[in-house]
Amino acid sequence: MASGAAHVLGERLRSGLIVGPSAETFGDFEAIAGGHPIPDAASERAGRRALEIAESLGDHATLLVLLSGGASALMAVPADGMTLDDKRRTTSQLLRAGADIHALNTVRKHLSAIKGGWLAQRAGGRQVRTYVISDVVGDDVSVIASGPTVPDASTFEDARRLIDRYGGAGAYPAAVVARLDRGIHGEIPETPKPGGAGATRSSIQVIGGRRDAMAGAVARASSLGYEVVRIDDPIVGEARDAAVAHVRAVVARAADVRRPACIVSSGETTVRVTGHGRGGRNQEFALAAAEPLAHTGGEAVLASVGTDGIDGPTDAAGAVADSTTLPRARRAQLNPSQFLADNNSYAFFDPLGDLVRTGPTGTNVGDLQVILLA
C-alpha cells in the first residue's frame, strides 16, 4: 500500500512512516518493525511517531492512513496511566480466553491513546483519508486495526463487561480495571464518538478483504479443472467446533458436485487456550478436521491458512489435513485428541510434514479454507 501511494502521489507526498512486522522501507519513508500479535517497545515507538506525524500536519495537508489487520499490535500507545506491559498482559489474557477480534479491539481502544479514533483526533481537524485492507469478518472499519481514524461507538462500560466475560477482573492488571472503572464514572474522556468534532473531515474506504482472497483461490482452482463451490458465509466460532461442522456441511453440499471438486471459504475462528502447546487457529482448525475427513468415504484434503502467512505465535501459516492424516498419525504414535486438548497442533503437524509455511505475505485478509474432494 505504501509503495502504491508513493507511486500515485509522487512529489505530493511530504513524508511517510511504514509500520509492519519487518523494517523494510524505500524512498524517504521511515520504517519501524513492531511486535505481533503482542505489542512490543517498537510498537509503542511506532505509535508515538504516527501521532507526531498527525500533529505536525500543515494547514492544507491531508493525513493519509493505509491500514491492514495486525496494526492493533504493530502500532500501540498506552493511554495515560497504562504501561505497555499492562496492554500486553491484557491482550494475552483475552486471546487465551478465546475473545474474538470485536471483543479484543473494544478493550484495546479503551486502553489506548491512538486507537478508537484518537489518531484522527490528533490531526486537529485537518483532512484524514484512510484506506483499509480488512481482516475482519463484516469489514467493520471501527474494528479493523482498532480503528485509529474511525469514531468509536463502543464504551468503557462495553470494555468492562468484556473483562468480566473473559476471565474476570482478577485476571487482568489492576491498572486496566481501574481505568475502565474510571471511564464508566466519567472521570476520563471516552473515545471520539460518531458525529463528534472532526468526524466530517475523516473518510474511510475498504479496498480489500477476505472475498478477494476467495476470488483468487476460485480462479486458480477453476483453471486447474476443479468444479468450484464458493461459500460466502464466514467461517467463525471456536476453531475445533467450526472445523467439524464445516467439513460435514461441505461433504453434504458437494454430494452432487462433479469431481474433482474444490470448496473455498474464509473467515476467522477463535481458540480458547486451555493447554500448554503451540499452534494457531488455522492449525487447530485443521487438526479438528482430521476426524471427519477420515470418514468422508473418499479422498479429501483440507487446508486452513492465515493470509498473512502467520498463524498464532508460530512460523506456519496453517496446516493441511486429509483422509490419511489419522492413519499416518497412528503410525507416528501421535494421538490427535491429546494434541488438540493441549492446544498443541503445531507439534502434531510438524512431524507429519503437513504445516504450511509461506513466510509473511505482506497482507492480511483473514483466514482461507480450501477443501478438495476427489
Side-chain angles (χ1 to χ4, degrees):
M1 287 191 289
S3 175
H7 176 74
V8 170
L9 295 173
E11 294 183 356
R12 290 180 292 168
L13 186 64
R14 298 299 182 212
S15 64
L17 169 69
I18 299 173
V19 182
S22 61
E24 298 176 14
T25 188
F26 54 87
D28 295 329
F29 281 87
E30 301 173 54
I32 299 175
H36 183 274
I38 303 299
D40 59 13
S43 301
E44 183 171 352
R45 188 168 74 252
R48 295 193 183 281
R49 182 65 184 122
L51 291 174
E52 288 174 1
I53 291 173
E55 291 174 336
S56 68
L57 289 179
D59 288 340
H60 302 291
T62 296
L63 179 66
L64 176 63
V65 181
L66 309 173
L67 283 178
S68 67
S72 292
L74 293 166
M75 189 173 68
V77 181
D80 290 344
M82 296 288 97
T83 67
L84 187 61
D85 187 58
D86 290 332
K87 295 193 68 178
R88 278 196 292 247
R89 290 168 58 195
T90 299
T91 299
S92 295
Q93 169 60 27
L94 289 165
L95 289 170
R96 286 195 305 270
D100 65 17
I101 194 65
H102 293 265
L104 180 63
N105 287 0
T106 293
V107 176
R108 279 168 158 168
K109 285 185 281 190
H110 288 87
L111 305 178
S112 176
I114 191 170
K115 300 174 174 65
W118 285 117
L119 177 61
Q121 193 85 350
R122 296 288 275 272
R126 295 171 179 83
Q127 187 174 29
V128 180
R129 298 180 66 180
T130 307
Y131 295 96
V132 181
I133 292 178
S134 172
D135 67 331
V136 172
V137 171
D139 298 338
D140 185 340
V141 292
S142 71
V143 176
I144 302 163
S146 298
T149 61
V150 184
D152 174 37
S154 71
T155 65
F156 280 109
E157 190 171 355
D158 294 330
R160 185 64 169 85
R161 279 197 297 263
L162 290 167
I163 291 294
D164 290 336
R165 177 179 175 184
Y166 293 105
Y172 295 87
V176 168
V177 178
R179 175 177 172 80
L180 298 181
D181 287 342
R182 289 180 62 210
I184 291 171
H185 293 119
E187 298 174 17
I188 51 179
E190 262 287 3
T191 48
K193 299 304 177 193
T200 58
R201 298 279 290 166
S202 181
S203 64
I204 188 162
Q205 181 178 348
V206 176
I207 60 173
R210 67 183 182 90
R211 289 181 173 84
D212 296 292
M214 291 174 67
V218 166
R220 181 61 173 157
S222 297
S223 73
L224 294 172
Y226 286 91
E227 185 74 12
V228 181
V229 176
R230 172 174 168 151
I231 298 176
D232 283 315
D233 290 341
I235 308 303
V236 295
E238 183 75 15
R240 62 182 64 194
D241 299 328
V244 174
H246 182 58
V247 171
R248 290 173 178 167
V250 163
V251 170
R253 182 168 177 173
D256 298 324
V257 175
R258 180 182 62 83
R259 301 295 197 263
C262 175
I263 296 84
V264 178
S265 61
S266 64
E268 185 170 280
T269 58
T270 58
V271 172
R272 184 169 59 89
V273 179
T274 57
H276 301 89
R278 293 180 65 207
R281 59 180 180 259
N282 288 284
Q283 294 163 65
E284 186 147 315
F285 189 98
L287 178 52
E291 178 70 29
L293 285 170
H295 300 100
T296 59
E299 293 182 88
V301 58
L302 171 145
S304 185
V305 295
T307 53
D308 59 354
I310 304 165
D311 187 36
T314 75
D315 62 354
V320 173
D322 61 30
S323 45
T324 73
T325 295
L326 293 187
R328 289 188 291 119
R330 282 194 293 269
R331 289 194 294 271
Q333 297 184 325
L334 301 172
N335 185 322
S337 297
Q338 291 179 356
F339 283 87
L340 190 60
D342 198 32
N343 300 115
N344 203 14
S345 50
Y346 184 95
F348 177 84
F349 284 114
D350 196 21
L352 295 178
D354 289 342
L355 290 172
V356 178
R357 292 185 174 97
T358 63
T361 63
T363 193
N364 185 0
V365 291
D367 301 332
L368 185 72
Q369 297 88 27
V370 176
I371 295 179
L372 303 180
L373 301 173

